[in-house]
Structures are given as C-alpha cells and as structure tokens.
Amino acid sequence: MARASFDGANVAEQVSADAPARDAHLIIPVRGMTCATCAGRVEKALAGLPGVHASVNLVGEHADVSFDPAQTSPQALAAAVEQAGYEVPHETRELAISGMTCATCARRVEKALLGVPGVIRAAVNLASEKAMVEAPQGAIGAAALIAAVERGGYEARLVTGEVERDRAIAAEDAKRVRRETWRMLAAIAVSAPLLLPMLGVPLPVSLALILASVVQAGFGARFYRAAWKALRAGTGNMDLLVALGTSAAYAYSVYGVVTNAVTGTPAPLYFEAAAVVIALVIVGKWLEARAKRSTTAAIRALMSLRPERARVEEDGREVEVPVAAVAVGDIVVVRPGERLPVDGLVRTGASEVDESLLTGESLPVHKSAGDRVTGGAINGSGLLRIETTAVGEQSTLARIVKLVEHAQMAKAPVQRLVDRVAALFVPVVLAVALAAFLAWWLGAADFGGGVIAAVSVMVIACPCALGLATPAALMVGTGAAARAGILIRDAEALERAHAIDLVALDKTGTLTEGKPVVTDIVPNRIEAADLLRRVASAQQGSEHPLARAILAKAAGLALTPVTEFTSHAGKGLVARIADERIAVGNRRLMAELGVDARALDAPAEALEAQARTVMWAASLAPAPRLLGVIAVADPLKPTAREAVRRIAGMGIETLLMTGDNERTAAAVAAAVGITQIHAGMLPGEKAAAVARLKAAGRHVAMVGDGVNDAPALAAADVGIAMGTGADVAMATAGITLMRGEPALIADAIAVSRATYRKIRQGLFWAFIYNIVGLPLAAMGWLDPMIAGAAMALSSVSVVANALLLRRWRPSESGMEKGA
C-alpha cells in the first residue's frame, strides 16, 4: 500500500517512488453528525477531494475512505471533514525507539511513521529516544506504527502509561546501558595496545592486525549494520560516516601489510587510527547516553510518584488493590508517610501533605475534611480517608506527566531549520571527504595522506550534536520548570516566551486571591436582608467567585428557588425567583436592561475607589427598578506587588486587563504597581485587545485563570494559566502555573530565556565543531584519532551544556545572569 503523510508539503517525498500506484484505505472517526444530511455533507466534502472515494456511516460515526496518496493526503481528508463543520477526534501514541544514533536517524524514523496512512503528525526526540504519533482516534493500531519503524531499521515499543509495563521498558533500557558499558570497556581494552608504538613500545604487525580486525569486525559491526540500514532506506547517517572512515583506514593498512609481505617495501599503517576511532565513538555514545538519561530525570521523578497499590475500604474493612482497580467514588485510606495513590477529597482526618514534586511548593500544606488532595503527594503524620475523584489518565499527576512529555517531544521552530541542515549533512560531508582525498592524491601525489584526510573528515563530522542541541535543552528546561510547578505544554510556547515584552494580567484569581467576601450592602428602598436574600436566590448554582461570596454571606437565609437562569458573559445574570425576574451584574447590564442606577452612583463610586467590586441588583417586573448594590472585596495575593516588580525588572511592561470597572481596576493597579489599565472588558474584548497589541509589534503574554480569560489566553503569543483556575483556561494556555502564585510568572519567563539561551549555545557549538573541524581535517591538520575524539566529545559537550539548566531555581535571578 502506498504510504501517505498528513504533512501535505512532504507527500511526494514520503510516497515511495517505486511503490505501485494503489489507493490507500483509512477509517476516519467523525463526531457531530446528527442525521442523514450530516452524513451526506461529510461524504460530499470528502468526495470533493481528488482521488477520493468515501462512504460515511452515520450510526458508526465514521467515514470509510479510499484515496490516492499521490493526489490527496490524510491531513487533507481530516481538514475537509472539519471544514464541513464536524470533528475528527485524535489520539496520541508514544513509542520508545531503539537504535538511533544521530539527527538523520531521528528524521528517518519520523518519515517512516509519517508514511503510515492516517498519521497526522510524528515527532521523534533523539535525546529521549521517544516518538509521539498523532492520528485519528482508532484509525491506526500500534502494530502498524511499530512495523513502520522496524522497516526503517530501528526497534520500537509502545509506551502505554501503565506503571508495570512502562517500568519494564525502563528496566530493559537500564539493561541495555549496562551492556553498552561492558562493550565500551572491552573496546578500550582491545584497542589500547595499538597506541603502544606512539609511546616507543614496539608492537608486532601481526598482533596489530589481529587487534584491529577484532575491533573493526566485532565492535564496529554495529556501525556497519546501521549504515547498511540507512543505505537501504536511501539516506546516510553518522554510522555510515564512521563505517566508511574507519574501513578506509583499516583497508589501507591491510593493503600496507600485504604489500610489505610481498615486496618487502615498508608501508605506513593506520590500524590505531581505525580501531581507536571506533573505541572513541563507542565511548562518546556511552557518555552521550548517560547525559541524555540525565535530561529525562524530571519525567522519571514524576513517574516514580505513582504508587502501585492502594488501600480501599470495602464493607467496613481495608482491602489492598492495584491502583488501576480503584474507581471514582471509592474511599481510599492513606496512612502516615505513604504516598497518596489517587486524586480526591478528604472525608475524615487531618494531616500535612507534601506536594513539592507536583507544585514546587516547598512547605507541606495542611489538609482536612473537604480539602482536595493530589495523587503522588506524601502524607504527613495523620491518617486520611479520601474519596476518589480522579484515577488513571484523568489524575493530576498523569496530566502533569503528559504535559511535560508533550513539551519535551515537541519541536521548537528553530529545530525545523536544524532538520533541514541534517538532511543534507551526510551527503555534504561525503563530498568534502572525496574532494580532500582527490586533492591530496592528485594534487600532492600522496595517496596515503588523502586516505587519512578523508578518514578525518568523515570521522569528525558531528550530525549527533546538531540533532541533540535543541531537544536536550528543551527536556532539561521543561523538567526544571516542572520541578518548580511550571508546566510548559509545548516547545513553541517556551521558545516564544523568551521574547515576551508585555505581560497582560487578569485581576481576579491572578493578582487577587479569587476568594471575595461581601463587605457592604447598600439597599435602595428595601431592607438590606431582603436585598441579600433576592440576590443570593438569583445566584444559586453559580460557581462564580462573586456568587460564592454572596451565598456565603446569605447562609441561614431562606432562599427562593430559581426557575429560569440566563447568563450574560462578562456582565452578569438574569434569573426568575418566584414571580419576579432579578438582574444582578455590572453597570453595563443595568444600562442594557433599562435600569436607572443614578440613585446609588455616589456610594457605588466610593466603594469602587476602595478597590471593591460592586454588583448592581434590579427587579425587572413590572418595570425595571433598582434594588441596591452589594460590594465585594477580593484581597490581593501577598506576592502580587513583588511579582509585578520582578516582571518589570526583567525589562517587561505590565498591563492590567479586567472585566471589573475602571475605579476598582485603578485601585488594584496602584496597589501592585501597574500603570496601564484596560477595564470593563468582556471576554471577546480581552482577546481583541491582545490581538491589537500583537499587531502593534508587541510580544504579549496573557495571564488568567477563568473561563472568561480563555479567548485572550489563546490569542496571546503565550497564554499563562493559573493552575488554581478553570480547566478551560489551562487547556488553552501554553504554560500552566501549578500554584496560584504570581511570582511564578517571572519564573516561567526566566526559565524560557535560560532554555532558549542553551538552545542557541548548543547549536553554536554544534555548528562550530563542524565549520572549524571539517576544513582542518580536509587539510590534513587533524589526526583521525583526534578527529574521532572531537566528534565523540561534541555530542557530550552539547548535552552537558544543556544539563547546566538543572541549576535553575525559581524566584532567583541566577539563570537570568547567564547560566
């Protein structure tokens, strides 16, 4: 079957030239169809694409599609369904890849996965040796993905998220590292005697031949196998360069031994160059693997938080079961010192809970009945009975791990340029090696010098360093951020965050606690208690912080049931209680409903000047009539002013963007040190304001925590959501702060700057190694052994430089000053 890619620009590249022109087949799930007309629309949209035959099943909610990959890509199929107004749900699979040695290998695995019909996107991370594949839900089996990788010459295993299976994969990886360690030591032991002549100790030619042959055929076999797989796939990689270079030195030396034996004429031998280069490359790959393993320390630390078993109450007794068997609603018992196995609500008991690895909060947090707790945290000295609210992939820990893994797998925009360079790297190196050989042989009449120059060119080339520079820095940076309670969803958000020059801050829940309390009740021709009762009755069922404050104040009053409820986004609500329609909201809502609010203008303005939010209430029947105002105060977070000061200290402007009125916004802005204010804004207006700022050339970060902030978070260059807020805000934002701590805003930008700096440094060193090393090798100024050592150290130095990011700590300026 012809291979197809969802990357429309590369379809021609990824469909094999010699493959027969046959249709590919794909089952695409479709959501949102309600009738036969919908099915007809989807069918028509698909059939409108060239080379497509489609049949849509309304009951099964899928489209059965045959298409010509030369004319239409699966990406175009999905886009056609979505443009018709329906949804194609996606799923992501993660694979552990073995056998990759350089950036070219990663690119080859990517192409192999993209060649599986139905794959939307594939991203391969050389540093973590993982692949993330996105496809329509249920359209592709794991077997097809694994088979594609194996056809490309590599090994793949499915990462399931199941604790036991994933730990088995990790154990196998650890075993592989131990094998590589012994192989490296053996290669050093066998090749080291070949260096004795350099120290003045003679070595018989026959022994040198035997030792070099053992290294070349035994320890070098891995390079030959990988090089052959690359050639079969029509590409080249680091293994091909090493295999060609060392084979040339070894073959020339064998030729010298034979010539000497036949003619008695001494010939230069380079057995040590071939053997020691192989040993050095093996040492370099071992060091690189150790360094790469350090880049995944954050993920391993998070995954280690997942307990394997839980103690569940059943019929009055405690039963120990696997965590996977715990269901929502089960009561889990957690003893002192144990890790919490699930997310839940504390039903009985009190304790101090250590959530540091989840939120970055260094001090234990007191938890008692009614408080939420998170799986993976460590219980203190108390016994807790917890009602389970989330398990498995829905748990907070699982979502954190997924977010960090997603960020580490994603490609930063700068990596796309590196990928294009890597694709041309091996052919260019081979061309330079050939040119160097011919120049020495034909120009200087030195065949042996030409061989050595060509060997040095091929050996010093560093495609690995190019491939590792970006992902290594991203993995360490996102890991360091995760330890501090900063979750970066994708590489693009991290790369964009370093350029931020304006931070727009929401007020409620971002700079303030988001836990307002009623401070003043000002009635208009009714009793204060009656005003409170009516407003509280109208707000029953609302989860808005202001509504909760009103309901808390009205505790004990007899409230009237709500029979109708209409929300006016960013303005307020209208509800029917008994026979009366009540409106509660801001001045804009009162004006739209024709309510004359002038009677309370003066007291309302005085309250707003004290940074209090004023809610207006009116009765709408038989005619609009003002009932009064209720003022609510939302205290500032203790660190809000310091957070704004730190952002300003980084050379970034701040702007307060809120739906609250001008006077309240001005009072809050003055308290925290913000001079720019956009007040009285609806959700859509916030997004439009962000778009205008971007159009004016500003790089904008939007910080918010509520549903009303989601459009602005999506519109900003970087959306930053407070983790204590609404799920939709966190789903929209590129960065989530696990604690509702404004100081983390500056930290998120600081870790982004530090990471981007490491990316640039890594790419600089990777390019410098090659730009300087290749000409020196071609001119014969580098011995092959020195070239091999330089190549081995290039990757290690790039990864080691990225690992310096592990020193980064939140709320410090150290990394800003040049880690």
Side-chain angles (χ1 to χ4, degrees), residues 21 26 44 184 226 230 274 281 313 421 429 476 534 538 568 650 669 671 743 758 774 801 803:
L26 189 61
K44 184 177 179 182
M184 174 196 68
V281 173
E313 280 191 357
V421 172
V429 169
V476 182
R534 293 188 192 190
H568 294 256
M650 298 169 75
K758 288 301 175 192
L774 288 174
N801 183 55
L803 286 173

Side-chain angles (χ1 to χ4, degrees), residues 228-240:
W228 174 243
K229 290 175 182 177
L231 288 172
R232 277 172 46 199
T235 184
N237 60 5
M238 183 210 76
D239 301 290
L240 178 62

Side-chain angles (χ1 to χ4, degrees), residues 387-727:
E387 181 183 341
T388 304
T389 58
V391 293
E393 293 185 358
Q394 300 306 313
S395 68
T396 301
L397 178 58
R399 289 161 65 192
I400 291 174
V401 170
K402 280 293 179 191
L403 272 173
V404 177
E405 285 182 331
H406 186 274
Q408 293 185 343
M409 288 303 305
K411 286 193 176 182
V414 68
Q415 181 67 23
R416 293 169 196 146
L417 170 63
V418 176
D419 286 347
R420 288 197 290 272
V421 172
L424 300 171
F425 190 86
V426 173
V428 168
V429 169
L430 291 175
V432 172
L434 178 61
F437 170 71
L438 293 175
W440 279 85
W441 182 27
L442 302 178
D446 187 349
F447 184 87
V451 170
I452 294 306
V455 169
S456 296
V457 167
M458 288 186 280
V459 168
I460 200 171
C462 313
C464 301
L466 282 174
L468 287 169
T470 300
L474 280 174
M475 292 176 70
V476 182
T478 52
R483 285 197 304 272
I486 302 165
L487 299 185
I488 299 170
R489 192 173 66 178
D490 55 46
E492 195 162 345
L494 187 139
E495 185 169 330
R496 285 180 173 178
H498 90 277
I500 293 301
D501 57 25
L502 175 66
V503 174
L505 295 148
D506 174 49
K507 179 179 74 71
T508 304
T510 301
L511 295 175
T512 65
E513 294 285 1
K515 299 175 181 177
V517 293
V518 174
T519 58
D520 302 89
I521 300 175
V522 184
N524 183 39
R525 299 179 183 174
I526 61 172
E527 294 294 325
D530 189 24
L531 172 61
L532 179 60
R533 181 187 60 79
R534 293 188 192 190
V535 172
S537 296
Q539 304 228 39
Q540 290 177 92
S542 174
E543 287 298 316
H544 194 283
L546 298 181
R548 289 200 295 267
I550 297 290
L551 291 166
K553 183 70 174 178
L557 295 180
L559 303 184
T560 307
V562 175
T563 54
E564 293 178 14
F565 186 96
T566 305
S567 175
H568 294 256
K571 302 173 191 174
L573 61 91
V574 175
R576 181 178 293 278
I577 56 172
D579 295 327
E580 186 178 26
R581 289 178 69 231
I582 298 291
V584 181
N586 56 23
R587 289 174 186 265
R588 187 183 296 195
L589 182 62
M590 295 298 111
E592 288 181 4
L593 297 174
V595 178
D596 185 353
R598 287 175 297 177
L600 296 181
D601 272 348
E605 289 173 5
L607 290 168
E608 289 170 349
Q610 299 173 50
R612 293 175 184 175
T613 300
V614 173
M615 286 183 285
W616 299 74
S619 174
L620 302 181
R625 177 172 63 89
L626 182 66
L627 296 177
V629 296
I630 296 180
V632 172
D634 187 5
L636 284 174
K637 291 180 176 177
T639 58
R641 185 173 182 83
E642 173 63 16
V644 171
R645 187 195 65 77
R646 283 195 63 215
I647 294 170
M650 298 169 75
I652 299 171
E653 292 181 36
T654 52
L655 164 68
L656 182 63
M657 193 175 289
T658 177
D660 219 330
N661 63 80
E662 188 79 33
R663 275 179 291 275
T664 302
V668 170
V672 298
I674 296 176
T675 56
Q676 299 183 66
I677 304 167
H678 288 182
M681 305 192 79
L682 300 177
E685 292 172 338
K686 286 185 179 182
V690 168
R692 286 195 299 273
L693 290 166
K694 288 172 62 179
R698 306 304 300 269
H699 296 90
V700 184
M702 175 69 199
V703 188
D705 77 324
V707 174
N708 61 327
D709 298 316
L713 290 170
D717 291 294
V718 179
I720 303 177
M722 309 300 277
T724 49
D727 284 348

Side-chain angles (χ1 to χ4, degrees), residues 70-405:
Q71 299 184 65
T72 301
S73 70
Q75 185 182 32
L77 298 173
V81 174
E82 288 165 354
Q83 285 167 10
Y86 302 93
E87 180 190 355
V88 178
H90 297 164
E91 65 179 348
T92 302
R93 292 180 180 269
E94 183 179 349
L95 300 173
I97 310 294
S98 303
M100 295 189 298
T101 58
C102 67
T104 311
C105 296
R107 183 177 172 83
R108 220 165 87 214
V109 173
E110 242 171 55
K111 288 178 68 175
L113 290 169
L114 285 168
V116 178
V119 170
I120 299 170
R121 271 183 292 276
V124 176
N125 189 314
L126 177 63
S128 66
E129 297 184 311
K130 296 279 182 66
M132 295 286 276
V133 182
E134 188 178 340
Q137 198 173 76
I140 300 176
L145 299 174
I146 292 171
V149 174
E150 290 176 346
R151 283 196 300 273
Y154 304 91
E155 294 178 14
R157 291 162 295 172
L158 182 67
V159 178
T160 63
E162 297 172 6
V163 178
E164 292 182 7
R165 179 177 173 82
D166 291 351
R167 283 181 178 164
I169 291 176
E172 180 59 34
D173 288 341
K175 189 186 296 183
R176 180 162 54 88
V177 169
R178 287 194 295 271
R179 283 199 305 269
E180 290 299 320
T181 302
W182 285 111
R183 188 172 293 159
M184 174 196 68
L185 294 173
I188 292 172
V190 175
S191 58
L194 292 169
L195 296 175
L196 291 176
M198 299 175 65
L199 303 175
V201 179
L203 187 72
V205 172
S206 58
L207 180 58
L209 174 61
I210 292 170
L211 292 175
S213 299
V214 169
V215 174
Q216 197 74 35
F219 299 106
R222 59 189 293 180
F223 301 111
Y224 288 109
R225 285 194 297 268
W228 174 243
K229 290 175 182 177
L231 288 172
R232 277 172 46 199
T235 184
N237 60 5
M238 183 210 76
D239 301 290
L240 178 62
L241 296 176
V242 172
L244 286 175
T246 59
S247 295
Y250 174 78
Y252 184 65
S253 300
V254 171
Y255 171 78
V257 170
V258 173
T259 301
N260 187 25
V262 173
T263 66
T265 305
L269 305 179
Y270 300 101
F271 285 127
E272 78 285 352
V276 173
V277 163
I278 287 176
L280 284 171
V281 173
I282 291 174
V283 171
K285 299 310 289 182
W286 180 82
L287 290 171
E288 181 186 310
R290 289 286 298 265
K292 286 195 296 187
R293 186 168 172 78
S294 297
T295 67
T296 61
I299 280 288
R300 291 200 309 276
L302 285 170
M303 293 177 70
S304 70
L305 299 183
R306 301 184 293 187
E308 294 184 29
R309 302 188 72 77
R311 202 175 289 103
V312 177
E313 280 191 357
E314 287 185 7
D315 301 325
R317 60 192 182 91
E318 296 178 11
V319 179
E320 195 171 287
V321 300
V323 169
V326 180
V328 173
D330 284 350
I331 300 297
V332 174
V333 179
V334 184
R335 294 173 181 167
E338 293 182 339
R339 285 199 183 276
L340 278 61
V342 295
D343 291 2
L345 289 170
V346 177
R347 285 306 174 208
T348 62
S351 185
E352 301 295 318
V353 175
D354 181 356
E355 300 176 331
S356 57
L357 276 174
L358 294 167
T359 66
E361 175 59 65
S362 57
L363 297 175
V365 181
H366 180 76
K367 300 290 184 180
S368 56
D371 289 337
R372 291 190 173 275
V373 290
T374 305
I378 302 174
N379 186 23
S381 58
L383 179 73
L384 298 177
R385 292 177 66 255
I386 300 168
E387 181 183 341
T388 304
T389 58
V391 293
E393 293 185 358
Q394 300 306 313
S395 68
T396 301
L397 178 58
R399 289 161 65 192
I400 291 174
V401 170
K402 280 293 179 191
L403 272 173
V404 177
E405 285 182 331

Side-chain angles (χ1 to χ4, degrees), residues 759-805:
I759 290 174
R760 288 186 298 177
Q761 289 171 2
L763 290 175
F764 170 80
W765 285 114
F767 278 109
I768 283 296
Y769 268 113
N770 291 293
I771 290 171
V772 173
L774 288 174
L776 291 177
M779 289 185 286
W781 292 355
L782 282 182
D783 182 270
M785 287 185 289
I786 296 175
M791 190 273 280
L793 289 174
S794 65
S795 299
V796 178
S797 61
V798 165
V799 178
N801 183 55
L803 286 173
L804 293 176
L805 273 171

